[in-house]
Amino acid sequence: MSKRKTLIKVKPNKFKNGDIVKVSFMVMHPMETGLRKDKKTGKFIPAEYIKNVKFEYNGKVFTNMNVWETLSVNPVLTTYMKVDGEGTIKVTFTDNEGTVEESSIKIKPKG
Amino acid sequence: MQRRDFLRGLSVAAASAVVVTPSMSFAADEKPKGSNALSYKEALAAVTGSKTPEVSKKIALKVPEIAENGAVVPVTVEVDHPMNEDDYVKSIHIFATKNGNSRCVDAHLSPANGKAMLSTRVKLGETQEVAALVELSNGTFLIASQSVKVTIGGCG
Protein backbone atom coordinates (compact mmCIF):
# COMPACT_ATOMS: atom_id res chain seq x y z
CA MET A 1 0.00 0.00 0.00
CA SER A 2 1.17 3.38 -0.89
CA LYS A 3 2.29 5.74 1.80
CA ARG A 4 -0.29 8.11 3.23
CA LYS A 5 0.09 11.83 2.80
CA THR A 6 1.11 13.48 6.04
CA LEU A 7 2.00 16.97 7.16
CA ILE A 8 3.68 18.22 10.34
CA LYS A 9 3.31 21.91 11.10
CA VAL A 10 5.12 23.95 13.72
CA LYS A 11 3.64 27.27 14.81
CA PRO A 12 4.74 30.04 15.01
CA ASN A 13 7.21 30.02 12.12
CA LYS A 14 9.95 31.82 14.02
CA PHE A 15 10.87 30.56 17.45
CA LYS A 16 13.79 30.66 19.86
CA ASN A 17 15.40 28.10 22.11
CA GLY A 18 13.20 27.41 25.12
CA ASP A 19 10.01 28.61 23.42
CA ILE A 20 6.84 26.56 23.57
CA VAL A 21 5.54 25.83 20.07
CA LYS A 22 2.42 24.21 18.67
CA VAL A 23 3.00 21.00 16.76
CA SER A 24 0.16 19.75 14.56
CA PHE A 25 0.11 16.49 12.71
CA MET A 26 -2.24 15.93 9.80
CA VAL A 27 -2.75 12.71 7.87
CA MET A 28 -4.93 11.86 4.89
CA HIS A 29 -6.84 8.89 6.26
CA PRO A 30 -10.43 7.65 5.68
CA MET A 31 -11.00 6.73 9.41
CA GLU A 32 -13.63 4.15 8.42
CA THR A 33 -15.71 2.94 11.40
CA GLY A 34 -16.71 -0.37 9.83
CA LEU A 35 -20.41 0.46 10.39
CA ARG A 36 -21.02 2.30 7.13
CA LYS A 37 -22.59 0.49 4.18
CA ASP A 38 -21.55 0.82 0.57
CA LYS A 39 -24.64 2.21 -1.17
CA LYS A 40 -24.01 0.27 -4.40
CA THR A 41 -23.22 -3.20 -3.07
CA GLY A 42 -25.02 -3.01 0.31
CA LYS A 43 -22.02 -4.49 2.11
CA PHE A 44 -20.21 -3.01 5.08
CA ILE A 45 -17.06 -1.07 4.36
CA PRO A 46 -14.29 -2.68 6.46
CA ALA A 47 -12.97 -0.68 9.40
CA GLU A 48 -9.80 1.29 8.79
CA TYR A 49 -8.56 3.71 11.40
CA ILE A 50 -5.48 4.91 13.23
CA LYS A 51 -4.82 3.35 16.64
CA ASN A 52 -1.79 5.13 17.98
CA VAL A 53 0.09 8.34 17.25
CA LYS A 54 3.50 8.98 18.83
CA PHE A 55 5.31 12.33 18.77
CA GLU A 56 9.08 12.19 19.23
CA TYR A 57 11.62 15.00 19.48
CA ASN A 58 15.25 13.94 19.11
CA GLY A 59 14.30 10.36 19.93
CA LYS A 60 12.37 11.25 23.11
CA VAL A 61 8.62 10.67 23.20
CA PHE A 62 6.79 13.77 24.41
CA THR A 63 3.21 12.87 23.52
CA ASN A 64 1.71 9.45 22.99
CA MET A 65 -1.91 9.29 21.84
CA ASN A 66 -4.32 6.37 21.68
CA VAL A 67 -6.83 7.17 18.99
CA TRP A 68 -10.14 5.55 18.01
CA GLU A 69 -12.28 5.55 14.90
CA THR A 70 -14.46 8.33 16.36
CA LEU A 71 -12.04 10.94 15.00
CA SER A 72 -12.97 12.77 11.82
CA VAL A 73 -11.80 11.90 8.35
CA ASN A 74 -8.27 13.22 7.75
CA PRO A 75 -7.57 13.78 11.46
CA VAL A 76 -5.56 16.67 12.86
CA LEU A 77 -3.87 16.30 16.23
CA THR A 78 -2.25 19.24 17.97
CA THR A 79 -0.11 19.49 21.09
CA TYR A 80 2.55 21.79 22.50
CA MET A 81 6.29 21.19 22.68
CA LYS A 82 9.24 22.89 24.33
CA VAL A 83 12.05 23.65 21.87
CA ASP A 84 15.45 22.52 23.05
CA GLY A 85 17.98 23.10 20.28
CA GLU A 86 18.12 21.86 16.72
CA GLY A 87 16.54 18.53 16.02
CA THR A 88 13.92 16.45 14.29
CA ILE A 89 10.28 15.92 15.17
CA LYS A 90 9.21 12.42 14.24
CA VAL A 91 5.60 11.25 14.22
CA THR A 92 4.86 7.53 14.09
CA PHE A 93 1.33 6.28 13.57
CA THR A 94 -0.08 2.76 13.71
CA ASP A 95 -3.10 1.50 11.76
CA ASN A 96 -5.72 -0.92 13.08
CA GLU A 97 -4.09 -3.58 10.89
CA GLY A 98 -0.69 -2.93 12.44
CA THR A 99 0.96 -1.03 9.61
CA VAL A 100 3.40 1.48 11.03
CA GLU A 101 4.29 4.61 9.10
CA GLU A 102 6.33 7.60 10.10
CA SER A 103 7.15 11.09 8.93
CA SER A 104 9.52 13.69 10.27
CA ILE A 105 10.63 17.30 9.90
CA LYS A 106 13.75 19.16 10.96
CA ILE A 107 13.46 22.27 13.10
CA LYS A 108 16.01 24.99 13.69
CA PRO A 109 15.44 27.61 16.39
CA LYS A 110 16.74 31.12 15.63
CA GLY A 111 18.43 33.27 18.23
CA MET B 1 -49.44 10.89 -23.11
CA GLN B 2 -53.05 10.20 -22.25
CA ARG B 3 -54.36 11.11 -18.85
CA ARG B 4 -55.38 7.47 -18.33
CA ASP B 5 -51.85 6.19 -18.99
CA PHE B 6 -50.36 8.75 -16.71
CA LEU B 7 -52.59 7.77 -13.80
CA ARG B 8 -51.90 4.07 -14.34
CA GLY B 9 -48.16 4.76 -14.21
CA LEU B 10 -48.60 6.72 -11.03
CA SER B 11 -50.41 3.87 -9.25
CA VAL B 12 -47.69 1.39 -10.27
CA ALA B 13 -45.00 3.66 -8.85
CA ALA B 14 -46.92 4.02 -5.58
CA ALA B 15 -47.28 0.23 -5.27
CA SER B 16 -43.56 -0.33 -5.76
CA ALA B 17 -42.75 2.32 -3.17
CA VAL B 18 -44.89 0.46 -0.62
CA VAL B 19 -43.00 -2.75 -1.35
CA VAL B 20 -39.60 -1.09 -0.90
CA THR B 21 -40.19 0.78 2.37
CA PRO B 22 -40.61 -2.14 4.79
CA SER B 23 -37.36 -3.78 3.67
CA MET B 24 -35.53 -0.49 4.09
CA SER B 25 -36.80 0.09 7.62
CA PHE B 26 -35.82 -3.47 8.49
CA ALA B 27 -32.27 -2.80 7.37
CA ALA B 28 -32.11 0.33 9.52
CA ASP B 29 -33.27 -1.58 12.61
CA GLU B 30 -30.38 -4.00 12.83
CA LYS B 31 -27.60 -1.54 13.36
CA PRO B 32 -24.37 -3.39 14.01
CA LYS B 33 -22.15 -2.68 16.97
CA GLY B 34 -18.57 -1.76 16.31
CA SER B 35 -15.81 -3.96 17.67
CA ASN B 36 -14.63 -1.07 19.84
CA ALA B 37 -18.08 -0.13 21.17
CA LEU B 38 -17.88 1.03 24.78
CA SER B 39 -20.35 3.17 26.68
CA TYR B 40 -19.32 6.40 28.37
CA LYS B 41 -19.71 5.00 31.90
CA GLU B 42 -17.57 1.97 31.17
CA ALA B 43 -14.94 4.03 29.39
CA LEU B 44 -14.77 6.49 32.27
CA ALA B 45 -14.49 3.69 34.82
CA ALA B 46 -11.73 2.04 32.80
CA VAL B 47 -9.61 5.20 33.05
CA THR B 48 -10.38 6.45 36.55
CA GLY B 49 -10.80 3.13 38.32
CA SER B 50 -12.52 3.64 41.70
CA LYS B 51 -11.78 7.39 41.91
CA THR B 52 -14.46 9.97 41.12
CA PRO B 53 -13.33 12.87 38.94
CA GLU B 54 -13.81 16.38 40.24
CA VAL B 55 -15.57 19.03 38.14
CA SER B 56 -13.00 21.74 37.60
CA LYS B 57 -12.78 25.19 36.06
CA LYS B 58 -9.10 24.67 35.28
CA ILE B 59 -10.03 22.85 32.12
CA ALA B 60 -10.97 25.03 29.16
CA LEU B 61 -13.04 22.88 26.81
CA LYS B 62 -13.72 24.60 23.51
CA VAL B 63 -16.49 22.97 21.47
CA PRO B 64 -19.06 24.67 19.25
CA GLU B 65 -22.52 24.81 20.86
CA ILE B 66 -24.19 23.97 17.57
CA ALA B 67 -22.40 21.72 15.12
CA GLU B 68 -24.00 21.75 11.68
CA ASN B 69 -22.01 18.79 10.49
CA GLY B 70 -21.48 16.02 13.03
CA ALA B 71 -18.70 14.48 10.94
CA VAL B 72 -16.26 17.28 11.75
CA VAL B 73 -16.52 18.87 15.21
CA PRO B 74 -13.41 20.70 16.41
CA VAL B 75 -12.55 20.07 20.06
CA THR B 76 -9.82 21.88 22.01
CA VAL B 77 -8.87 21.09 25.60
CA GLU B 78 -6.51 23.37 27.49
CA VAL B 79 -5.51 22.80 31.10
CA ASP B 80 -4.33 25.64 33.29
CA HIS B 81 -1.71 23.65 35.20
CA PRO B 82 2.09 23.94 35.40
CA MET B 83 4.16 21.34 33.56
CA ASN B 84 7.07 20.80 35.97
CA GLU B 85 9.07 17.61 36.39
CA ASP B 86 7.23 16.62 39.57
CA ASP B 87 3.82 18.19 38.97
CA TYR B 88 2.33 17.95 35.52
CA VAL B 89 -0.70 16.89 33.51
CA LYS B 90 -0.31 13.19 32.85
CA SER B 91 -3.05 12.64 30.30
CA ILE B 92 -6.03 14.22 28.58
CA HIS B 93 -8.97 12.09 27.43
CA ILE B 94 -11.81 13.22 25.19
CA PHE B 95 -15.15 11.37 25.35
CA ALA B 96 -18.27 11.71 23.22
CA THR B 97 -20.91 10.49 25.67
CA LYS B 98 -23.47 9.04 23.24
CA ASN B 99 -21.31 7.65 20.46
CA GLY B 100 -21.18 3.86 20.05
CA ASN B 101 -17.55 4.01 21.02
CA SER B 102 -17.42 6.94 23.40
CA ARG B 103 -13.63 7.16 23.47
CA CYS B 104 -12.05 9.62 21.04
CA VAL B 105 -8.47 10.37 22.08
CA ASP B 106 -6.25 9.51 25.05
CA ALA B 107 -3.21 11.77 24.97
CA HIS B 108 -0.38 10.88 27.36
CA LEU B 109 1.66 14.01 27.96
CA SER B 110 5.05 14.62 29.56
CA PRO B 111 6.81 17.64 31.12
CA ALA B 112 8.53 18.18 27.75
CA ASN B 113 5.24 19.55 26.38
CA GLY B 114 5.56 22.84 28.25
CA LYS B 115 1.81 23.45 28.08
CA ALA B 116 -1.05 21.01 28.45
CA MET B 117 -3.22 21.23 25.36
CA LEU B 118 -4.91 18.84 22.97
CA SER B 119 -6.79 19.81 19.86
CA THR B 120 -8.48 17.58 17.30
CA ARG B 121 -11.67 17.00 15.32
CA VAL B 122 -14.21 14.31 16.22
CA LYS B 123 -17.31 12.68 14.77
CA LEU B 124 -20.57 13.00 16.73
CA GLY B 125 -23.50 10.73 15.93
CA GLU B 126 -26.21 12.82 17.60
CA THR B 127 -26.78 15.73 19.99
CA GLN B 128 -24.77 14.90 23.10
CA GLU B 129 -22.21 16.00 25.66
CA VAL B 130 -18.50 16.09 25.00
CA ALA B 131 -16.39 15.48 28.10
CA ALA B 132 -12.72 16.09 28.78
CA LEU B 133 -11.06 14.09 31.54
CA VAL B 134 -7.65 15.17 32.83
CA GLU B 135 -5.33 13.10 34.97
CA LEU B 136 -2.69 14.92 37.01
CA SER B 137 0.63 13.37 37.98
CA ASN B 138 -0.45 13.13 41.64
CA GLY B 139 -3.31 10.83 40.67
CA THR B 140 -6.28 13.20 40.84
CA PHE B 141 -8.83 13.41 38.07
CA LEU B 142 -10.52 16.57 36.78
CA ILE B 143 -13.46 16.66 34.41
CA ALA B 144 -15.33 19.22 32.29
CA SER B 145 -18.15 18.75 29.82
CA GLN B 146 -20.25 20.72 27.39
CA SER B 147 -23.29 19.78 25.33
CA VAL B 148 -23.17 20.04 21.56
CA LYS B 149 -26.24 20.25 19.34
CA VAL B 150 -25.70 18.23 16.19
CA THR B 151 -27.87 18.98 13.17
CA ILE B 152 -26.65 16.16 10.91
CA GLY B 153 -25.10 13.09 12.54
CA GLY B 154 -21.67 12.05 11.40
CA CYS B 155 -21.45 8.35 12.24
CA GLY B 156 -22.54 6.11 9.39
Side-chain angles (χ1 to χ4, degrees):
Chain A
M1 203 168 146
S2 64
K3 244 190 143 194
R4 296 192 190 281
K5 265 191 187 170
T6 57
L7 181 66
I8 304 172
K9 254 190 184 173
V10 176
K11 269 186 180 182
N13 287 335
K14 283 181 187 169
F15 50 85
K16 290 176 199 159
N17 240 342
D19 277 6
I20 293 168
V21 294
K22 227 182 216 180
V23 181
S24 349
F25 170 66
M26 291 160 225
V27 55
M28 302 298 272
H29 199 287
M31 295 303 271
E32 218 40 90
T33 55
L35 307 175
R36 230 153 52 92
K37 267 184 181 172
D38 195 329
K39 273 179 188 159
K40 280 179 193 161
T41 59
K43 281 181 184 167
F44 287 112
I45 303 167
E48 187 181 6
Y49 54 89
I50 297 172
K51 246 166 100 180
N52 185 273
V53 181
K54 209 159 68 183
F55 291 76
E56 277 171 81
Y57 177 48
N58 287 343
K60 211 181 157 196
V61 179
F62 63 90
T63 305
N64 191 359
M65 293 183 186
N66 289 332
V67 171
W68 279 275
E69 71 278 15
T70 32
L71 285 198
S72 300
V73 175
N74 303 338
V76 181
L77 294 158
T78 311
T79 114
Y80 278 108
M81 188 194 85
K82 210 173 197 174
V83 179
D84 184 23
E86 251 178 78
T88 49
I89 299 174
K90 193 170 91 174
V91 180
T92 320
F93 62 98
T94 314
D95 234 323
N96 63 330
E97 274 151 13
T99 26
V100 181
E101 284 177 46
E102 58 178 52
S103 62
S104 59
I105 55 157
K106 278 185 181 160
I107 59 160
K108 205 174 179 183
K110 277 172 193 163
Chain B
M1 192 193 267
Q2 296 260 319
R3 182 171 175 270
R4 189 172 297 171
D5 289 346
F6 174 72
L7 284 177
R8 196 172 291 148
L10 210 69
S11 66
V12 168
S16 65
V18 167
V19 172
V20 168
T21 24
S23 65
M24 272 170 76
S25 65
F26 177 67
D29 279 344
E30 48 166 356
K31 248 194 176 173
K33 262 194 160 184
S35 52
N36 285 332
L38 197 68
S39 73
Y40 173 57
K41 267 189 185 170
E42 286 170 332
L44 198 68
V47 177
T48 57
S50 56
K51 287 174 187 167
T52 43
E54 181 191 332
V55 177
S56 168
K57 281 186 181 171
K58 275 172 120 185
I59 306 168
L61 176 64
K62 273 186 217 157
V63 200
E65 276 176 20
I66 299 171
E68 278 186 13
N69 183 4
V72 184
V73 183
V75 179
T76 305
V77 182
E78 261 180 273
V79 189
D80 183 19
H81 194 80
M83 294 291 271
N84 301 325
E85 281 298 325
D86 49 353
D87 185 18
Y88 62 97
V89 175
K90 210 173 169 189
S91 60
I92 300 177
H93 306 258
I94 296 177
F95 298 110
T97 48
K98 277 188 190 167
N99 275 3
N101 176 12
S102 58
R103 297 166 294 182
C104 295
V105 196
D106 295 356
H108 300 277
L109 307 178
S110 64
N113 284 103
K115 250 185 206 174
M117 191 277 267
L118 171 65
S119 168
T120 187
R121 301 186 299 203
V122 301
K123 282 183 226 160
L124 297 179
E126 53 185 306
T127 299
Q128 58 184 288
E129 276 196 4
V130 172
L133 180 73
V134 171
E135 187 186 0
L136 302 180
S137 56
N138 60 11
T140 51
F141 288 95
L142 308 175
I143 198 164
S145 61
Q146 197 194 318
S147 64
V148 183
K149 204 177 169 196
V150 178
T151 324
I152 304 165
C155 285

